[in-house]
PDB file of all heavy atoms in Angstrom:
ATOM      1  N   LYS A   1      94.788  99.709 104.139  1.00 98.00           N
ATOM      2  CA  LYS A   1      95.975  99.720 104.997  1.00 98.00           C
ATOM      3  C   LYS A   1      97.103 100.598 104.464  1.00 98.00           C
ATOM      4  O   LYS A   1      98.112 100.776 105.142  1.00 98.00           O
ATOM      5  CB  LYS A   1      96.498  98.293 105.196  1.00 98.00           C
ATOM      6  CG  LYS A   1      95.513  97.374 105.941  1.00 98.00           C
ATOM      7  CD  LYS A   1      95.321  97.837 107.374  1.00 98.00           C
ATOM      8  CE  LYS A   1      94.436  96.904 108.160  1.00 98.00           C
ATOM      9  NZ  LYS A   1      94.212  97.381 109.546  1.00 98.00           N
ATOM     10  N   GLY A   2      96.963 101.100 103.264  1.00 97.00           N
ATOM     11  CA  GLY A   2      97.982 101.975 102.706  1.00 97.00           C
ATOM     12  C   GLY A   2      99.160 101.258 102.083  1.00 97.00           C
ATOM     13  O   GLY A   2     100.067 101.879 101.537  1.00 97.00           O
ATOM     14  N   GLY A   3      99.180  99.951 102.149  1.00 98.00           N
ATOM     15  CA  GLY A   3     100.267  99.156 101.586  1.00 98.00           C
ATOM     16  C   GLY A   3     100.096  97.703 101.969  1.00 98.00           C
ATOM     17  O   GLY A   3      99.112  97.315 102.609  1.00 98.00           O
ATOM     18  N   LEU A   4     101.067  96.892 101.594  1.00 98.00           N
ATOM     19  CA  LEU A   4     100.998  95.451 101.836  1.00 98.00           C
ATOM     20  C   LEU A   4     102.181  94.944 102.651  1.00 98.00           C
ATOM     21  O   LEU A   4     102.087  93.928 103.335  1.00 98.00           O
ATOM     22  CB  LEU A   4     100.942  94.694 100.500  1.00 98.00           C
ATOM     23  CG  LEU A   4      99.749  95.029  99.597  1.00 98.00           C
ATOM     24  CD1 LEU A   4      99.982  94.480  98.187  1.00 98.00           C
ATOM     25  CD2 LEU A   4      98.464  94.467 100.176  1.00 98.00           C
ATOM     26  N   SER A   5     103.292  95.645 102.583  1.00 98.00           N
ATOM     27  CA  SER A   5     104.513  95.198 103.247  1.00 98.00           C
ATOM     28  C   SER A   5     104.363  95.173 104.759  1.00 98.00           C
ATOM     29  O   SER A   5     103.824  96.109 105.365  1.00 98.00           O
ATOM     30  CB  SER A   5     105.672  96.118 102.869  1.00 98.00           C
ATOM     31  OG  SER A   5     106.860  95.734 103.535  1.00 98.00           O
ATOM     32  N   GLY A   6     104.831  94.084 105.374  1.00 97.00           N
ATOM     33  CA  GLY A   6     104.861  93.986 106.825  1.00 97.00           C
ATOM     34  C   GLY A   6     103.552  93.619 107.482  1.00 97.00           C
ATOM     35  O   GLY A   6     103.495  93.461 108.703  1.00 97.00           O
ATOM     36  N   LEU A   7     102.477  93.479 106.733  1.00 98.00           N
ATOM     37  CA  LEU A   7     101.188  93.114 107.315  1.00 98.00           C
ATOM     38  C   LEU A   7     101.153  91.626 107.639  1.00 98.00           C
ATOM     39  O   LEU A   7     101.732  90.806 106.930  1.00 98.00           O
ATOM     40  CB  LEU A   7     100.048  93.436 106.345  1.00 98.00           C
ATOM     41  CG  LEU A   7      99.833  94.901 105.960  1.00 98.00           C
ATOM     42  CD1 LEU A   7      98.682  95.001 104.969  1.00 98.00           C
ATOM     43  CD2 LEU A   7      99.562  95.761 107.180  1.00 98.00           C
ATOM     44  N   LYS A   8     100.450  91.282 108.706  1.00 98.00           N
ATOM     45  CA  LYS A   8     100.184  89.877 109.008  1.00 98.00           C
ATOM     46  C   LYS A   8      98.813  89.537 108.440  1.00 98.00           C
ATOM     47  O   LYS A   8      97.805  90.115 108.849  1.00 98.00           O
ATOM     48  CB  LYS A   8     100.219  89.603 110.514  1.00 98.00           C
ATOM     49  CG  LYS A   8      99.939  88.126 110.842  1.00 98.00           C
ATOM     50  CD  LYS A   8      99.988  87.825 112.342  1.00 98.00           C
ATOM     51  CE  LYS A   8      99.698  86.349 112.601  1.00 98.00           C
ATOM     52  NZ  LYS A   8      99.745  86.008 114.052  1.00 98.00           N
ATOM     53  N   VAL A   9      98.790  88.599 107.502  1.00 98.00           N
ATOM     54  CA  VAL A   9      97.547  88.195 106.844  1.00 98.00           C
ATOM     55  C   VAL A   9      97.268  86.740 107.195  1.00 98.00           C
ATOM     56  O   VAL A   9      98.058  85.846 106.865  1.00 98.00           O
ATOM     57  CB  VAL A   9      97.645  88.360 105.313  1.00 98.00           C
ATOM     58  CG1 VAL A   9      96.334  87.934 104.651  1.00 98.00           C
ATOM     59  CG2 VAL A   9      97.991  89.798 104.950  1.00 98.00           C
ATOM     60  N   ALA A  10      96.152  86.504 107.876  1.00 98.00           N
ATOM     61  CA  ALA A  10      95.744  85.150 108.240  1.00 98.00           C
ATOM     62  C   ALA A  10      94.723  84.651 107.225  1.00 98.00           C
ATOM     63  O   ALA A  10      93.672  85.277 107.036  1.00 98.00           O
ATOM     64  CB  ALA A  10      95.150  85.135 109.644  1.00 98.00           C
ATOM     65  N   ILE A  11      95.030  83.547 106.557  1.00 98.00           N
ATOM     66  CA  ILE A  11      94.112  82.910 105.621  1.00 98.00           C
ATOM     67  C   ILE A  11      93.577  81.663 106.318  1.00 98.00           C
ATOM     68  O   ILE A  11      94.330  80.736 106.614  1.00 98.00           O
ATOM     69  CB  ILE A  11      94.816  82.564 104.299  1.00 98.00           C
ATOM     70  CG1 ILE A  11      95.374  83.837 103.651  1.00 98.00           C
ATOM     71  CG2 ILE A  11      93.860  81.849 103.356  1.00 98.00           C
ATOM     72  CD1 ILE A  11      96.179  83.593 102.384  1.00 98.00           C
ATOM     73  N   VAL A  12      92.274  81.657 106.591  1.00 98.00           N
ATOM     74  CA  VAL A  12      91.685  80.638 107.458  1.00 98.00           C
ATOM     75  C   VAL A  12      90.729  79.755 106.676  1.00 98.00           C
ATOM     76  O   VAL A  12      89.825  80.255 105.994  1.00 98.00           O
ATOM     77  CB  VAL A  12      90.928  81.294 108.630  1.00 98.00           C
ATOM     78  CG1 VAL A  12      90.317  80.232 109.529  1.00 98.00           C
ATOM     79  CG2 VAL A  12      91.859  82.206 109.429  1.00 98.00           C
ATOM     80  N   GLY A  13      90.932  78.436 106.797  1.00 94.00           N
ATOM     81  CA  GLY A  13      89.978  77.513 106.191  1.00 94.00           C
ATOM     82  C   GLY A  13      90.627  76.500 105.281  1.00 94.00           C
ATOM     83  O   GLY A  13      91.745  76.046 105.514  1.00 94.00           O
ATOM     84  N   ASP A  14      89.928  76.178 104.198  1.00 91.00           N
ATOM     85  CA  ASP A  14      90.313  75.109 103.291  1.00 91.00           C
ATOM     86  C   ASP A  14      91.320  75.611 102.255  1.00 91.00           C
ATOM     87  O   ASP A  14      91.008  75.758 101.076  1.00 91.00           O
ATOM     88  CB  ASP A  14      89.058  74.554 102.606  1.00 91.00           C
ATOM     89  CG  ASP A  14      89.345  73.367 101.706  1.00 91.00           C
ATOM     90  OD1 ASP A  14      90.478  72.854 101.736  1.00 91.00           O
ATOM     91  OD2 ASP A  14      88.431  72.956 100.967  1.00 91.00           O
ATOM     92  N   SER A  15      92.527  75.879 102.688  1.00 93.00           N
ATOM     93  CA  SER A  15      93.533  76.428 101.770  1.00 93.00           C
ATOM     94  C   SER A  15      94.087  75.370 100.820  1.00 93.00           C
ATOM     95  O   SER A  15      94.628  75.703  99.760  1.00 93.00           O
ATOM     96  CB  SER A  15      94.669  77.095 102.548  1.00 93.00           C
ATOM     97  OG  SER A  15      95.207  76.222 103.508  1.00 93.00           O
ATOM     98  N   TYR A  16      93.959  74.091 101.180  1.00 92.00           N
ATOM     99  CA  TYR A  16      94.472  73.025 100.305  1.00 92.00           C
ATOM    100  C   TYR A  16      93.741  73.026  98.962  1.00 92.00           C
ATOM    101  O   TYR A  16      94.358  72.884  97.909  1.00 92.00           O
ATOM    102  CB  TYR A  16      94.311  71.668 100.978  1.00 92.00           C
ATOM    103  CG  TYR A  16      94.799  70.511 100.121  1.00 92.00           C
ATOM    104  CD1 TYR A  16      96.156  70.214 100.037  1.00 92.00           C
ATOM    105  CD2 TYR A  16      93.907  69.737  99.388  1.00 92.00           C
ATOM    106  CE1 TYR A  16      96.611  69.182  99.244  1.00 92.00           C
ATOM    107  CE2 TYR A  16      94.356  68.685  98.584  1.00 92.00           C
ATOM    108  CZ  TYR A  16      95.708  68.410  98.524  1.00 92.00           C
ATOM    109  OH  TYR A  16      96.142  67.382  97.728  1.00 92.00           O
ATOM    110  N   HIS A  17      92.433  73.193  98.987  1.00 90.00           N
ATOM    111  CA  HIS A  17      91.642  73.154  97.759  1.00 90.00           C
ATOM    112  C   HIS A  17      91.404  74.538  97.163  1.00 90.00           C
ATOM    113  O   HIS A  17      90.709  74.660  96.155  1.00 90.00           O
ATOM    114  CB  HIS A  17      90.284  72.495  98.031  1.00 90.00           C
ATOM    115  CG  HIS A  17      90.372  71.068  98.460  1.00 90.00           C
ATOM    116  ND1 HIS A  17      90.409  70.682  99.786  1.00 90.00           N
ATOM    117  CD2 HIS A  17      90.450  69.927  97.734  1.00 90.00           C
ATOM    118  CE1 HIS A  17      90.491  69.368  99.861  1.00 90.00           C
ATOM    119  NE2 HIS A  17      90.525  68.879  98.640  1.00 90.00           N
ATOM    120  N   SER A  18      91.944  75.589  97.796  1.00 94.00           N
ATOM    121  CA  SER A  18      91.593  76.960  97.423  1.00 94.00           C
ATOM    122  C   SER A  18      92.573  77.584  96.444  1.00 94.00           C
ATOM    123  O   SER A  18      93.738  77.820  96.764  1.00 94.00           O
ATOM    124  CB  SER A  18      91.510  77.831  98.683  1.00 94.00           C
ATOM    125  OG  SER A  18      91.273  79.176  98.337  1.00 94.00           O
ATOM    126  N   ARG A  19      92.083  77.903  95.260  1.00 95.00           N
ATOM    127  CA  ARG A  19      92.917  78.652  94.314  1.00 95.00           C
ATOM    128  C   ARG A  19      93.056  80.104  94.751  1.00 95.00           C
ATOM    129  O   ARG A  19      94.043  80.762  94.429  1.00 95.00           O
ATOM    130  CB  ARG A  19      92.328  78.540  92.909  1.00 95.00           C
ATOM    131  CG  ARG A  19      90.831  78.655  92.803  1.00 95.00           C
ATOM    132  CD  ARG A  19      90.331  77.955  91.544  1.00 95.00           C
ATOM    133  NE  ARG A  19      88.882  78.035  91.417  1.00 95.00           N
ATOM    134  CZ  ARG A  19      88.171  77.260  90.630  1.00 95.00           C
ATOM    135  NH1 ARG A  19      88.752  76.339  89.878  1.00 95.00           N
ATOM    136  NH2 ARG A  19      86.872  77.377  90.534  1.00 95.00           N
ATOM    137  N   VAL A  20      92.063  80.616  95.504  1.00 97.00           N
ATOM    138  CA  VAL A  20      92.172  81.967  96.062  1.00 97.00           C
ATOM    139  C   VAL A  20      93.370  82.057  97.000  1.00 97.00           C
ATOM    140  O   VAL A  20      94.146  83.011  96.948  1.00 97.00           O
ATOM    141  CB  VAL A  20      90.880  82.354  96.811  1.00 97.00           C
ATOM    142  CG1 VAL A  20      91.054  83.696  97.523  1.00 97.00           C
ATOM    143  CG2 VAL A  20      89.700  82.410  95.861  1.00 97.00           C
ATOM    144  N   ALA A  21      93.529  81.050  97.860  1.00 97.00           N
ATOM    145  CA  ALA A  21      94.654  81.052  98.799  1.00 97.00           C
ATOM    146  C   ALA A  21      95.978  81.074  98.055  1.00 97.00           C
ATOM    147  O   ALA A  21      96.904  81.812  98.442  1.00 97.00           O
ATOM    148  CB  ALA A  21      94.578  79.825  99.709  1.00 97.00           C
ATOM    149  N   ARG A  22      96.094  80.298  97.007  1.00 97.00           N
ATOM    150  CA  ARG A  22      97.354  80.252  96.255  1.00 97.00           C
ATOM    151  C   ARG A  22      97.675  81.608  95.633  1.00 97.00           C
ATOM    152  O   ARG A  22      98.808  82.084  95.703  1.00 97.00           O
ATOM    153  CB  ARG A  22      97.285  79.157  95.186  1.00 97.00           C
ATOM    154  CG  ARG A  22      97.361  77.762  95.782  1.00 97.00           C
ATOM    155  CD  ARG A  22      97.115  76.674  94.734  1.00 97.00           C
ATOM    156  NE  ARG A  22      97.318  75.362  95.328  1.00 97.00           N
ATOM    157  CZ  ARG A  22      96.420  74.722  96.081  1.00 97.00           C
ATOM    158  NH1 ARG A  22      95.241  75.291  96.306  1.00 97.00           N
ATOM    159  NH2 ARG A  22      96.680  73.538  96.602  1.00 97.00           N
ATOM    160  N   SER A  23      96.692  82.242  95.020  1.00 98.00           N
ATOM    161  CA  SER A  23      96.952  83.549  94.418  1.00 98.00           C
ATOM    162  C   SER A  23      97.298  84.587  95.479  1.00 98.00           C
ATOM    163  O   SER A  23      98.163  85.438  95.272  1.00 98.00           O
ATOM    164  CB  SER A  23      95.734  84.007  93.600  1.00 98.00           C
ATOM    165  OG  SER A  23      95.635  83.258  92.406  1.00 98.00           O
ATOM    166  N   ASN A  24      96.636  84.520  96.645  1.00 98.00           N
ATOM    167  CA  ASN A  24      96.977  85.428  97.741  1.00 98.00           C
ATOM    168  C   ASN A  24      98.405  85.202  98.218  1.00 98.00           C
ATOM    169  O   ASN A  24      99.151  86.158  98.465  1.00 98.00           O
ATOM    170  CB  ASN A  24      95.993  85.249  98.901  1.00 98.00           C
ATOM    171  CG  ASN A  24      94.793  86.168  98.798  1.00 98.00           C
ATOM    172  OD1 ASN A  24      94.752  87.236  99.385  1.00 98.00           O
ATOM    173  ND2 ASN A  24      93.808  85.738  98.027  1.00 98.00           N
ATOM    174  N   ILE A  25      98.798  83.953  98.355  1.00 98.00           N
ATOM    175  CA  ILE A  25     100.164  83.641  98.802  1.00 98.00           C
ATOM    176  C   ILE A  25     101.186  84.198  97.818  1.00 98.00           C
ATOM    177  O   ILE A  25     102.132  84.898  98.207  1.00 98.00           O
ATOM    178  CB  ILE A  25     100.341  82.121  98.970  1.00 98.00           C
ATOM    179  CG1 ILE A  25      99.560  81.615 100.183  1.00 98.00           C
ATOM    180  CG2 ILE A  25     101.826  81.764  99.112  1.00 98.00           C
ATOM    181  CD1 ILE A  25      99.443  80.100 100.253  1.00 98.00           C
ATOM    182  N   TYR A  26     101.016  83.894  96.534  1.00 98.00           N
ATOM    183  CA  TYR A  26     101.987  84.334  95.537  1.00 98.00           C
ATOM    184  C   TYR A  26     102.047  85.858  95.455  1.00 98.00           C
ATOM    185  O   TYR A  26     103.134  86.431  95.302  1.00 98.00           O
ATOM    186  CB  TYR A  26     101.632  83.765  94.162  1.00 98.00           C
ATOM    187  CG  TYR A  26     101.716  82.265  94.062  1.00 98.00           C
ATOM    188  CD1 TYR A  26     100.739  81.541  93.390  1.00 98.00           C
ATOM    189  CD2 TYR A  26     102.775  81.564  94.643  1.00 98.00           C
ATOM    190  CE1 TYR A  26     100.813  80.153  93.285  1.00 98.00           C
ATOM    191  CE2 TYR A  26     102.855  80.186  94.551  1.00 98.00           C
ATOM    192  CZ  TYR A  26     101.871  79.474  93.873  1.00 98.00           C
ATOM    193  OH  TYR A  26     101.937  78.113  93.786  1.00 98.00           O
ATOM    194  N   GLY A  27     100.884  86.518  95.562  1.00 98.00           N
ATOM    195  CA  GLY A  27     100.868  87.969  95.454  1.00 98.00           C
ATOM    196  C   GLY A  27     101.384  88.671  96.693  1.00 98.00           C
ATOM    197  O   GLY A  27     102.267  89.536  96.614  1.00 98.00           O
ATOM    198  N   LEU A  28     100.858  88.303  97.847  1.00 98.00           N
ATOM    199  CA  LEU A  28     101.197  89.019  99.087  1.00 98.00           C
ATOM    200  C   LEU A  28     102.656  88.839  99.489  1.00 98.00           C
ATOM    201  O   LEU A  28     103.291  89.778  99.988  1.00 98.00           O
ATOM    202  CB  LEU A  28     100.280  88.554 100.212  1.00 98.00           C
ATOM    203  CG  LEU A  28      98.814  88.981 100.090  1.00 98.00           C
ATOM    204  CD1 LEU A  28      97.943  88.228 101.093  1.00 98.00           C
ATOM    205  CD2 LEU A  28      98.668  90.490 100.283  1.00 98.00           C
ATOM    206  N   THR A  29     103.196  87.635  99.311  1.00 97.00           N
ATOM    207  CA  THR A  29     104.582  87.408  99.725  1.00 97.00           C
ATOM    208  C   THR A  29     105.567  88.184  98.856  1.00 97.00           C
ATOM    209  O   THR A  29     106.678  88.483  99.309  1.00 97.00           O
ATOM    210  CB  THR A  29     104.930  85.912  99.702  1.00 97.00           C
ATOM    211  OG1 THR A  29     104.653  85.360  98.404  1.00 97.00           O
ATOM    212  CG2 THR A  29     104.131  85.145 100.750  1.00 97.00           C
ATOM    213  N   LYS A  30     105.195  88.533  97.644  1.00 97.00           N
ATOM    214  CA  LYS A  30     106.069  89.359  96.802  1.00 97.00           C
ATOM    215  C   LYS A  30     106.282  90.744  97.419  1.00 97.00           C
ATOM    216  O   LYS A  30     107.268  91.422  97.137  1.00 97.00           O
ATOM    217  CB  LYS A  30     105.476  89.513  95.390  1.00 97.00           C
ATOM    218  CG  LYS A  30     105.482  88.252  94.542  1.00 97.00           C
ATOM    219  CD  LYS A  30     104.825  88.507  93.191  1.00 97.00           C
ATOM    220  CE  LYS A  30     104.556  87.223  92.424  1.00 97.00           C
ATOM    221  NZ  LYS A  30     105.763  86.595  91.898  1.00 97.00           N
ATOM    222  N   TYR A  31     105.330  91.170  98.244  1.00 98.00           N
ATOM    223  CA  TYR A  31     105.390  92.504  98.860  1.00 98.00           C
ATOM    224  C   TYR A  31     105.881  92.464 100.304  1.00 98.00           C
ATOM    225  O   TYR A  31     105.875  93.484 100.989  1.00 98.00           O
ATOM    226  CB  TYR A  31     104.009  93.158  98.805  1.00 98.00           C
ATOM    227  CG  TYR A  31     103.622  93.613  97.427  1.00 98.00           C
ATOM    228  CD1 TYR A  31     103.096  92.713  96.507  1.00 98.00           C
ATOM    229  CD2 TYR A  31     103.802  94.936  97.017  1.00 98.00           C
ATOM    230  CE1 TYR A  31     102.735  93.112  95.231  1.00 98.00           C
ATOM    231  CE2 TYR A  31     103.449  95.352  95.748  1.00 98.00           C
ATOM    232  CZ  TYR A  31     102.918  94.435  94.852  1.00 98.00           C
ATOM    233  OH  TYR A  31     102.574  94.839  93.579  1.00 98.00           O
ATOM    234  N   GLY A  32     106.265  91.299 100.784  1.00 97.00           N
ATOM    235  CA  GLY A  32     106.795  91.214 102.132  1.00 97.00           C
ATOM    236  C   GLY A  32     105.743  91.079 103.213  1.00 97.00           C
ATOM    237  O   GLY A  32     106.039  91.337 104.392  1.00 97.00           O
ATOM    238  N   ALA A  33     104.523  90.682 102.857  1.00 98.00           N
ATOM    239  CA  ALA A  33     103.514  90.418 103.880  1.00 98.00           C
ATOM    240  C   ALA A  33     103.826  89.094 104.572  1.00 98.00           C
ATOM    241  O   ALA A  33     104.412  88.191 103.979  1.00 98.00           O
ATOM    242  CB  ALA A  33     102.121  90.368 103.254  1.00 98.00           C
ATOM    243  N   GLU A  34     103.430  88.993 105.836  1.00 98.00           N
ATOM    244  CA  GLU A  34     103.598  87.758 106.603  1.00 98.00           C
ATOM    245  C   GLU A  34     102.289  86.968 106.502  1.00 98.00           C
ATOM    246  O   GLU A  34     101.264  87.375 107.061  1.00 98.00           O
ATOM    247  CB  GLU A  34     103.899  88.084 108.067  1.00 98.00           C
ATOM    248  CG  GLU A  34     104.039  86.866 108.965  1.00 98.00           C
ATOM    249  CD  GLU A  34     104.188  87.250 110.434  1.00 98.00           C
ATOM    250  OE1 GLU A  34     104.586  88.399 110.714  1.00 98.00           O
ATOM    251  OE2 GLU A  34     103.888  86.392 111.290  1.00 98.00           O
ATOM    252  N   VAL A  35     102.318  85.871 105.771  1.00 98.00           N
ATOM    253  CA  VAL A  35     101.102  85.103 105.492  1.00 98.00           C
ATOM    254  C   VAL A  35     101.046  83.859 106.367  1.00 98.00           C
ATOM    255  O   VAL A  35     102.020  83.098 106.458  1.00 98.00           O
ATOM    256  CB  VAL A  35     101.027  84.710 104.003  1.00 98.00           C
ATOM    257  CG1 VAL A  35      99.773  83.882 103.730  1.00 98.00           C
ATOM    258  CG2 VAL A  35     101.035  85.958 103.117  1.00 98.00           C
ATOM    259  N   TRP A  36      99.897  83.665 107.011  1.00 98.00           N
ATOM    260  CA  TRP A  36      99.636  82.479 107.820  1.00 98.00           C
ATOM    261  C   TRP A  36      98.472  81.703 107.210  1.00 98.00           C
ATOM    262  O   TRP A  36      97.484  82.304 106.762  1.00 98.00           O
ATOM    263  CB  TRP A  36      99.253  82.871 109.247  1.00 98.00           C
ATOM    264  CG  TRP A  36     100.398  83.319 110.106  1.00 98.00           C
ATOM    265  CD1 TRP A  36     101.110  84.476 109.989  1.00 98.00           C
ATOM    266  CD2 TRP A  36     100.932  82.625 111.232  1.00 98.00           C
ATOM    267  NE1 TRP A  36     102.074  84.548 110.968  1.00 98.00           N
ATOM    268  CE2 TRP A  36     101.976  83.420 111.760  1.00 98.00           C
ATOM    269  CE3 TRP A  36     100.626  81.416 111.863  1.00 98.00           C
ATOM    270  CZ2 TRP A  36     102.728  83.054 112.866  1.00 98.00           C
ATOM    271  CZ3 TRP A  36     101.371  81.035 112.978  1.00 98.00           C
ATOM    272  CH2 TRP A  36     102.405  81.844 113.466  1.00 98.00           C
ATOM    273  N   LEU A  37      98.588  80.378 107.199  1.00 97.00           N
ATOM    274  CA  LEU A  37      97.484  79.498 106.810  1.00 97.00           C
ATOM    275  C   LEU A  37      97.025  78.746 108.051  1.00 97.00           C
ATOM    276  O   LEU A  37      97.854  78.193 108.780  1.00 97.00           O
ATOM    277  CB  LEU A  37      97.922  78.494 105.743  1.00 97.00           C
ATOM    278  CG  LEU A  37      98.471  79.041 104.427  1.00 97.00           C
ATOM    279  CD1 LEU A  37      98.836  77.885 103.504  1.00 97.00           C
ATOM    280  CD2 LEU A  37      97.454  79.954 103.748  1.00 97.00           C
ATOM    281  N   ALA A  38      95.714  78.717 108.286  1.00 97.00           N
ATOM    282  CA  ALA A  38      95.180  78.010 109.443  1.00 97.00           C
ATOM    283  C   ALA A  38      93.955  77.212 109.036  1.00 97.00           C
ATOM    284  O   ALA A  38      93.127  77.680 108.244  1.00 97.00           O
ATOM    285  CB  ALA A  38      94.810  78.989 110.555  1.00 97.00           C
ATOM    286  N   GLY A  39      93.840  76.015 109.589  1.00 93.00           N
ATOM    287  CA  GLY A  39      92.692  75.172 109.304  1.00 93.00           C
ATOM    288  C   GLY A  39      92.960  73.750 109.744  1.00 93.00           C
ATOM    289  O   GLY A  39      94.014  73.459 110.339  1.00 93.00           O
ATOM    290  N   PRO A  40      92.041  72.845 109.452  1.00 91.00           N
ATOM    291  CA  PRO A  40      92.275  71.440 109.782  1.00 91.00           C
ATOM    292  C   PRO A  40      93.516  70.920 109.061  1.00 91.00           C
ATOM    293  O   PRO A  40      93.829  71.352 107.938  1.00 91.00           O
ATOM    294  CB  PRO A  40      91.011  70.736 109.262  1.00 91.00           C
ATOM    295  CG  PRO A  40      89.988  71.819 109.134  1.00 91.00           C
ATOM    296  CD  PRO A  40      90.734  73.069 108.814  1.00 91.00           C
ATOM    297  N   ALA A  41      94.229  70.008 109.689  1.00 91.00           N
ATOM    298  CA  ALA A  41      95.448  69.457 109.088  1.00 91.00           C
ATOM    299  C   ALA A  41      95.177  68.855 107.716  1.00 91.00           C
ATOM    300  O   ALA A  41      96.034  68.881 106.828  1.00 91.00           O
ATOM    301  CB  ALA A  41      96.053  68.408 110.021  1.00 91.00           C
ATOM    302  N   THR A  42      93.969  68.318 107.525  1.00 89.00           N
ATOM    303  CA  THR A  42      93.605  67.690 106.248  1.00 89.00           C
ATOM    304  C   THR A  42      93.366  68.711 105.143  1.00 89.00           C
ATOM    305  O   THR A  42      93.216  68.337 103.980  1.00 89.00           O
ATOM    306  CB  THR A  42      92.333  66.850 106.425  1.00 89.00           C
ATOM    307  OG1 THR A  42      91.325  67.668 107.059  1.00 89.00           O
ATOM    308  CG2 THR A  42      92.599  65.617 107.273  1.00 89.00           C
ATOM    309  N   MET A  43      93.312  69.995 105.497  1.00 89.00           N
ATOM    310  CA  MET A  43      93.039  71.039 104.509  1.00 89.00           C
ATOM    311  C   MET A  43      94.176  72.041 104.379  1.00 89.00           C
ATOM    312  O   MET A  43      93.994  73.132 103.844  1.00 89.00           O
ATOM    313  CB  MET A  43      91.755  71.790 104.883  1.00 89.00           C
ATOM    314  CG  MET A  43      90.521  70.935 104.881  1.00 89.00           C
ATOM    315  SD  MET A  43      89.064  71.921 105.260  1.00 89.00           S
ATOM    316  CE  MET A  43      87.819  70.634 105.354  1.00 89.00           C
ATOM    317  N   LEU A  44      95.350  71.686 104.889  1.00 92.00           N
ATOM    318  CA  LEU A  44      96.499  72.572 104.796  1.00 92.00           C
ATOM    319  C   LEU A  44      97.479  72.048 103.748  1.00 92.00           C
ATOM    320  O   LEU A  44      97.884  70.889 103.797  1.00 92.00           O
ATOM    321  CB  LEU A  44      97.195  72.679 106.153  1.00 92.00           C
ATOM    322  CG  LEU A  44      96.412  73.401 107.245  1.00 92.00           C
ATOM    323  CD1 LEU A  44      97.128  73.287 108.585  1.00 92.00           C
ATOM    324  CD2 LEU A  44      96.205  74.876 106.885  1.00 92.00           C
ATOM    325  N   PRO A  45      97.866  72.875 102.791  1.00 90.00           N
ATOM    326  CA  PRO A  45      98.801  72.440 101.764  1.00 90.00           C
ATOM    327  C   PRO A  45     100.229  72.376 102.282  1.00 90.00           C
ATOM    328  O   PRO A  45     100.553  72.965 103.309  1.00 90.00           O
ATOM    329  CB  PRO A  45      98.668  73.519 100.688  1.00 90.00           C
ATOM    330  CG  PRO A  45      98.317  74.748 101.465  1.00 90.00           C
ATOM    331  CD  PRO A  45      97.474  74.279 102.619  1.00 90.00           C
ATOM    332  N   GLN A  46     101.066  71.686 101.553  1.00 87.00           N
ATOM    333  CA  GLN A  46     102.478  71.599 101.908  1.00 87.00           C
ATOM    334  C   GLN A  46     103.319  72.318 100.854  1.00 87.00           C
ATOM    335  O   GLN A  46     102.895  72.497  99.717  1.00 87.00           O
ATOM    336  CB  GLN A  46     102.919  70.137 102.015  1.00 87.00           C
ATOM    337  CG  GLN A  46     102.198  69.359 103.108  1.00 87.00           C
ATOM    338  CD  GLN A  46     102.642  67.905 103.160  1.00 87.00           C
ATOM    339  OE1 GLN A  46     103.333  67.422 102.270  1.00 87.00           O
ATOM    340  NE2 GLN A  46     102.239  67.212 104.218  1.00 87.00           N
TER     341      GLN A  46
END
């Protein structure tokens, strides 16, 4: 994509138990990406 800023990134699935999701959140948001988490309510972190 040539960069990270301003991109909409959808992370779909079991983000509550996912260390991958956490690292993506911490990394991508530092660059101004718009991060969405989607999945069952029981698998979404707060």
Side-chain angles (χ1 to χ4, degrees):
K1 296 294 184 182
L4 300 166
S5 178
L7 297 179
K8 180 179 180 180
V9 180
I11 301 176
V12 180
D14 184 9
S15 53
Y16 179 80
H17 297 93
S18 176
R19 42 204 179 197
V20 174
R22 287 173 175 80
S23 287
N24 270 264
I25 289 168
Y26 295 138
L28 290 168
T29 55
K30 290 178 192 288
Y31 287 82
E34 178 186 338
V35 179
W36 284 70
L37 301 180
T42 51
M43 297 183 186
L44 292 173
Q46 297 179 349

